[in-house]
């Protein structure tokens, strides 16, 4: 299926250690411009925090992301021992706090500062006022996906209960959804962050596969619908961050 297994190798290659050392030095000295030049844009933050579109925006939001805890983890890291090459997926710090590609571009930061956590909560509170009342109650939003035909919203209702709501792509999420399924499951896929949400309704299973780590050119998400275990629809999806 989609399984991804991350196996750390020996010491990181010297050519990769070189740009890792430069990144660590930039973080140690808060060189926002230099770090901004190492970022691969658009740079995603945890939904529903808006994606960082460019270097100028990154510099403005630098302190929101790089707090004392994250900076300490980076500065204390050993380029040879704490950073691992993981095939086409790139290079990760420790268990995936930070990902860089083999060209030295920062592709992901899987860490959330107190500022971002508070910011996320404010956005969620605002979102709840804009949704159709029938789906306005939830614990945290997971994602909004768009395929060529559908707009899909997945929310965590708490206690491992996920909700699927979908509309025709022409409709707004302020309108009543065409379909709502609760009691969905979150299923991890390896240790690289890829995962899927699975929702069952009668003889149908709706699978939303999310792939933060994927080969170049592959879609970031996919909707697959099964009827009696037979695939009847499969569509690439984009992840809408706001």
């Amino acid at each position: 299926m989609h399984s991804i297994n991350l196996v750390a190798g020996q010491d990181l290659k010297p050519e990769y250690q070189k740009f890792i050392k430069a990144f660590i030095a930039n973080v140690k000295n808060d060189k926002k411009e230099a770090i901004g030049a190492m970022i691969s844009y658009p740079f995603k933050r945890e939904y529903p925090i808006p994606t960082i579109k460019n270097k100028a925006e990154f510099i403005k939001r630098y302190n929101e992301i790089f707090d004392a805890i994250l900076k300490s983890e980076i500065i204390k890291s050993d380029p040879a021992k704490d950073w691992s090459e993981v095939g086409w997926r790139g290079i990760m710090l420790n268990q995936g706090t930070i990902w860089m590609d083999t060209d030295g571009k920062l592709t992901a930061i899987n860490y959330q500062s107190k500022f971002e956590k508070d910011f996320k909560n404010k956005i969620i509170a605002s979102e709840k006022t804009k949704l159709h009342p029938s789906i306005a109650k939830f614990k945290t939003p997971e994602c909004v996906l768009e395929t060529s035909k559908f707009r899909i919203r997945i929310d965590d209702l708490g206690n491992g209960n996920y909700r699927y709501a979908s509309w025709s792509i022409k409709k707004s999420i302020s309108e009543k959804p065409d379909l709502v399924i609760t009691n969905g499951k979150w299923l991890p896929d390896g240790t690289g962050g890829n995962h899927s949400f699975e929702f069952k309704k009668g003889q149908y299973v709706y699978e939303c596969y999310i792939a933060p780590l994927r080969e170049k050119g592959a879609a970031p998400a996919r909707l697959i619908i099964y009827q009696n275990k037979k695939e009847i629809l499969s569509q690439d999806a984009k992840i809408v961050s706001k």
Side-chain angles (χ1 to χ4, degrees), residues 147-164:
T147 75
S148 58
K149 292 184 178 180
F150 305 107
R151 180 172 289 110
I152 299 154
R153 181 185 175 94
I154 299 173
D155 292 300
D156 180 0
L157 303 184
N159 299 315
N161 176 7
Y162 294 89
R163 180 181 64 203
Y164 175 104

Side-chain angles (χ1 to χ4, degrees), residues 74-120:
I74 295 165
I75 293 163
K76 290 177 180 176
S77 69
D78 180 337
K81 307 288 184 185
D82 299 321
W83 295 77
S84 313
E85 185 181 2
V86 196
W88 56 264
R89 299 168 194 92
I91 300 159
M92 68 175 180
L93 168 60
N94 295 327
Q95 297 303 307
T97 305
I98 287 178
W99 284 86
M100 298 183 84
D101 65 21
T102 51
D103 294 322
K105 287 288 187 181
L106 196 71
T107 56
I109 296 176
N110 297 311
Y111 171 82
Q112 202 169 63
S113 65
K114 184 181 183 301
F115 179 94
E116 283 199 320
K117 285 173 184 171
D118 291 344
F119 186 30
K120 178 181 174 181

Side-chain angles (χ1 to χ4, degrees), residues 16-217:
Y16 299 157
Q17 288 187 45
K18 189 176 179 181
F19 60 68
I20 296 291
K21 284 176 184 173
F23 172 65
I24 292 169
N26 288 336
V27 171
K28 188 174 184 179
N29 296 293
D30 282 323
K31 291 188 175 179
K32 302 175 188 179
E33 288 266 354
I35 298 166
M38 297 180 86
I39 300 280
S40 177
Y41 300 102
F43 192 68
K44 289 192 177 295
R45 303 308 298 136
E46 187 176 320
Y47 184 79
I49 297 170
T51 293
I52 299 172
K53 299 183 187 71
N54 51 48
K55 182 181 172 183
E57 193 176 325
F58 171 80
I59 291 167
K60 284 182 185 175
R61 292 171 60 182
Y62 173 83
N63 291 329
E64 300 173 9
I65 301 165
F66 286 82
D67 65 1
I69 297 168
L70 179 61
K71 286 195 280 190
S72 177
E73 183 177 351
I74 295 165
I75 293 163
K76 290 177 180 176
S77 69
D78 180 337
K81 307 288 184 185
D82 299 321
W83 295 77
S84 313
E85 185 181 2
V86 196
W88 56 264
R89 299 168 194 92
I91 300 159
M92 68 175 180
L93 168 60
N94 295 327
Q95 297 303 307
T97 305
I98 287 178
W99 284 86
M100 298 183 84
D101 65 21
T102 51
D103 294 322
K105 287 288 187 181
L106 196 71
T107 56
I109 296 176
N110 297 311
Y111 171 82
Q112 202 169 63
S113 65
K114 184 181 183 301
F115 179 94
E116 283 199 320
K117 285 173 184 171
D118 291 344
F119 186 30
K120 178 181 174 181
N121 289 335
K122 286 176 186 174
I123 296 170
I124 291 169
S126 174
E127 263 191 12
K128 288 180 177 180
T129 67
K130 297 170 185 173
L131 288 169
H132 189 271
S134 65
I135 58 164
K137 289 184 179 179
F138 55 87
K139 185 180 177 185
T140 52
E142 287 293 328
C143 58
V144 174
L145 308 177
E146 289 182 359
T147 75
S148 58
K149 292 184 178 180
F150 305 107
R151 180 172 289 110
I152 299 154
R153 181 185 175 94
I154 299 173
D155 292 300
D156 180 0
L157 303 184
N159 299 315
N161 176 7
Y162 294 89
R163 180 181 64 203
Y164 175 104
S166 73
W167 298 258
S168 158
I169 195 68
K170 296 174 184 177
K171 291 185 178 180
S172 162
I173 58 174
S174 62
E175 296 180 64
K176 187 176 181 180
D178 300 320
L179 176 65
V180 176
I181 311 170
T182 55
N183 297 312
K185 294 178 180 178
W186 179 89
L187 303 169
D189 181 20
T191 54
N194 291 10
H195 57 280
S196 60
F197 296 94
E198 188 178 275
F199 303 89
K200 295 179 181 178
K201 188 174 179 68
Q203 61 186 330
Y204 295 94
V205 173
Y206 296 75
E207 179 190 348
C208 296
Y209 184 71
I210 315 293
L213 291 177
R214 59 189 183 276
E215 294 188 49
K216 200 168 185 177

